[in-house]
């Protein structure tokens, strides 16, 4: 069963309350998304650590109900 974009956003915001989250369904199938997350919580963390923070926020859905997620993480301007 596919995962809705609003579910992804809810999980990310629960872990990173200050986050600005933009999600695009790349294939229209609820399985392939591009996600941009901007959060102050990323400060001092490597890009790999930032992505790991997002994967942790997804609580095991990555690779299961969520097949593909292209991530872009940034600090606020």
């Amino acid at each position: 069963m596919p995962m809705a974009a609003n579910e992804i956003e809810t999980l990310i915001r629960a872990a990173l309350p200050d986050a600005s989250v933009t999600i695009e369904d790349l294939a229209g199938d609820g399985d392939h998304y591009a996600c941009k997350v901007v959060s102050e919580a990323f400060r001092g963390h490597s890009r790999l650590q930032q992505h790991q923070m997002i994967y942790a926020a997804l609580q095991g859905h990555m690779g299961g109900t969520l097949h593909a997620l292209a991530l872009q993480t940034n600090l606020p301007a």
Side-chain angles (χ1 to χ4, degrees), residues 2-60:
M3 188 170 195
N6 65 334
E7 291 178 74
I8 298 168
E9 183 175 353
T10 298
L11 289 170
I12 293 171
R13 287 185 186 274
L16 305 168
D18 75 313
S20 167
V21 181
T22 306
I23 300 175
E24 178 185 356
D25 188 342
L26 297 174
D29 61 1
D31 261 350
H32 300 82
Y33 290 100
C35 181
K36 180 178 180 181
V37 182
V38 179
S39 174
E40 185 61 38
F42 296 144
R43 189 166 305 279
H45 295 281
S46 69
R47 184 77 61 198
L48 175 62
Q49 290 170 324
Q50 293 172 15
H51 286 209
Q52 289 171 334
M53 292 166 72
I54 299 301
Y55 293 138
L58 295 173
Q59 303 173 1

